[in-house]
Amino acid sequence: MARPIKEGLDYFPFDVDFFSDTKIKVLKAHYGADGITVFIYILTQIYKDKGYYVIADDDFIDVMADDLA
């Protein structure tokens, strides 16, 4: 019996210079640690489900808010 094809990833690489990226520095300056947390949460959801996108509707935002509360 063949193994079912899995969508998404179990892990993804994370750059060691993440905090040196200007975009991340600006995000942190505007929103602090909460901005970084939301960014990483969204990345994990993108790679977990389809591997390259996520549908960010009201339900997604509600679930994210509950998960990060």
Side-chain angles (χ1 to χ4, degrees):
M1 180 189 278
R3 201 163 79 175
I5 297 174
K6 181 179 182 331
E7 286 191 13
L9 304 171
D10 292 327
Y11 71 95
F12 63 95
F14 196 77
D15 290 335
V16 295
D17 63 346
F18 176 78
F19 289 103
S20 299
D21 188 332
T22 303
K23 295 181 294 279
I24 300 304
K25 287 183 176 189
V26 170
L27 179 66
K28 185 174 177 244
H30 283 271
Y31 302 103
D34 290 342
I36 302 297
T37 303
V38 168
F39 180 77
I40 293 172
Y41 180 89
I42 292 170
L43 281 179
T44 59
Q45 295 305 305
I46 288 170
Y47 290 124
K48 180 174 105 177
D49 291 335
K50 303 293 183 192
Y52 56 96
Y53 74 95
V54 67
I55 298 172
D57 56 8
D58 289 337
D59 289 341
F60 176 82
I61 294 170
D62 291 341
V63 169
M64 178 175 60
D66 184 59
D67 286 346
L68 299 178

